[in-house]
Amino acid sequence: MPVLDTLGRPVRDLRISVTDRCNFRCVYCMPKEIYGRGYRFLERRELLTFEEIERLSRVFASLGVEKIRLTGGEPLLRRELEHLVELLGAIPGVDLTLTTNGSLLPQKARLLAEAGLRRVTVSLDSLDDRVFRAMNDVDVPVERVLAGIEAAAAAGLSPVKVNMVVKRGVNEDSVLPMARYFRGSGHILRFIEYMDVGHTNGWRLDDVVAAHEIVAAIDAELPVEPIEANYPGEVARRYRYSDGSGEIGVIASVTEPFCGACTRARLSAEGKLYTCLFATKGHDLRTLLRGGASDGELGQAIGAVWRARGDRYSELRSAATADLPKIEMSYIGG
């Protein structure tokens, strides 16, 4: 029997943060004024080991998880990540993928593919080098990420999904150039509404470019038409170009919440289970792991957390939710 939460949602997707560190300082995620030289990141002993991650992943799979996504921070900063990919790739019936900023993919893509990774999602917020450097705030050029996307495709990690967070007054002018560039490439471009994750990004509703605005802007030049979701609970609304030259997606978590179909659990780098991207607290699984709990006991603990889950933050978003002590996105992945 599937494990269902209080709203009847099964646990189908597991996002695993393998590190809280990142080599970018994107202004909407890890602003430099907060995550500067003095910021305390997790120490190595606090991180789950690859073997602990594998064990928890197998328990989650026994509860119904069918897809695992490795995240961060920037997951490719975790040394020998390909070893973890090899371990997780051996779990029957689980689709394994990874989200990255792409800067390290030229060196890592083939190793990851050979270890068993199937696909990657790459974050890229503009093709304008000046805008992109300002947004990542560490002066990384666009060319490095584009090289990572091509390295991933050459290694067979395709179709590559490219995620663009759109923030008004910052990079909305990059929407059409991105659509033009990736149309016909075989990659899938997805536009994400700027979200109020955590407390360090200074989120305001006025900064959100709504998904319908994005689709309308693209459709005016490159006609698109809606298509069916790939699977129940898919977060992106899909559109294909009318001339058959590919597809795009929009993730409208602010203006058109999809909480009712959310099947995602999140595991932080030090082993806390979060039941929502906007969660205010996590549930400690590392202590259970290192305290000698059996797989059955781990499954019971995870199942109990999920069955009590009633999260639907995006449907409730209001002035009353603005000051909730939400977890930062860099801590539990996107």
Side-chain angles (χ1 to χ4, degrees):
M1 294 293 293
V3 178
L4 304 178
D5 69 8
T6 61
L7 300 177
R9 300 169 295 187
V11 55
R12 287 285 182 265
D13 304 85
L14 177 63
R15 299 196 164 202
I16 303 173
S17 173
V18 297
T19 179
D20 61 335
R21 298 172 187 266
C22 187
N23 55 341
F24 283 16
R25 287 295 178 269
C26 296
V27 293
Y28 58 81
C29 181
M30 293 182 73
K32 190 179 289 182
E33 58 270 24
I34 304 295
Y35 298 90
R37 289 183 179 273
Y39 186 82
R40 182 194 175 278
F41 290 97
L42 294 169
E43 297 180 16
R44 188 166 184 82
R45 61 179 174 77
E46 297 176 275
L47 301 177
L48 291 181
T49 67
F50 289 166
E51 290 73 22
E52 288 171 333
I53 293 173
E54 178 201 19
R55 187 176 170 208
L56 282 175
S57 297
R58 288 185 180 274
V59 172
F60 272 100
S62 73
L63 298 175
V65 162
E66 299 171 349
K67 182 177 180 180
I68 293 176
R69 178 177 296 278
L70 299 179
T71 72
E74 170 47 50
L76 299 189
L77 290 179
R78 184 77 183 260
R79 283 182 291 178
E80 298 182 341
L81 185 69
E82 58 272 15
H83 177 55
L84 175 61
V85 168
E86 190 173 15
L87 293 175
L88 299 182
I91 300 176
V94 170
D95 181 28
L96 181 62
T97 183
L98 175 147
T99 294
T100 172
N101 63 35
S103 63
L104 300 175
L105 272 177
Q107 305 97 289
K108 286 285 193 176
R110 191 157 298 282
L111 282 173
L112 292 167
E114 290 172 352
L117 190 67
R118 298 184 181 181
R119 292 182 312 284
V120 293
T121 297
V122 177
S123 299
L124 177 62
D125 296 323
S126 180
L127 290 171
D128 184 310
D129 202 56
R130 179 188 59 80
V131 173
F132 182 68
R133 287 175 189 257
M135 291 190 75
N136 68 58
D137 209 18
V138 290
D139 214 30
V140 172
V142 169
E143 287 78 8
R144 189 182 304 177
V145 178
L146 293 178
I149 292 171
E150 294 314 308
L157 299 173
S158 56
V160 177
K161 291 181 180 178
V162 179
N163 281 354
M164 175 185 177
V165 174
V166 185
K167 184 177 180 181
R168 194 177 301 281
V170 177
N171 68 333
E172 75 265 42
D173 289 342
S174 296
V175 167
L176 269 170
M178 288 277 284
R180 295 182 194 119
Y181 182 88
F182 287 106
R183 174 172 165 259
S185 68
H187 310 318
I188 299 172
L189 177 60
R190 304 193 303 180
F191 301 94
I192 302 175
E193 292 180 344
Y194 175 50
M195 291 184 290
D196 52 331
V197 180
H199 286 287
T200 62
N201 67 2
W203 184 88
R204 301 180 313 137
L205 184 59
D206 290 346
D207 294 331
V208 177
V209 180
H212 70 84
E213 294 180 61
I214 294 169
V215 173
I218 295 171
D219 185 56
E221 178 180 324
L222 306 168
V224 294
E225 55 194 27
I227 52 178
E228 293 294 319
N230 283 308
Y231 53 87
E234 185 175 22
V235 299
R237 286 193 286 111
R238 301 171 63 211
Y239 296 83
R240 66 182 167 211
Y241 292 109
S242 299
D243 64 1
S245 58
E247 71 171 84
I248 61 170
V250 288
I251 299 175
S253 61
V254 176
T255 63
E256 299 176 51
F258 40 80
C259 298
C262 179
T263 61
R264 289 161 192 79
R266 290 174 166 82
L267 184 64
S268 71
E270 92 288 36
K272 288 185 178 179
L273 168 62
Y274 292 87
T275 56
C276 179
L277 180 59
F278 304 95
T280 58
K281 67 176 183 177
H283 304 267
D284 184 8
L285 299 182
R286 187 184 66 190
T287 296
L288 287 174
L289 268 173
R290 297 181 180 177
S294 67
D295 287 357
E297 289 168 332
L298 289 169
Q300 289 174 1
I302 294 167
V305 170
W306 191 263
R307 290 186 183 93
R309 175 185 187 244
D311 301 286
R312 53 191 190 97
Y313 174 90
S314 289
E315 292 179 347
L316 302 173
R317 183 182 280 108
S318 67
T321 63
D323 294 324
L324 291 176
K326 301 186 290 293
I327 306 301
E328 298 300 329
M329 183 164 60
S330 59
Y331 187 70
I332 57 173

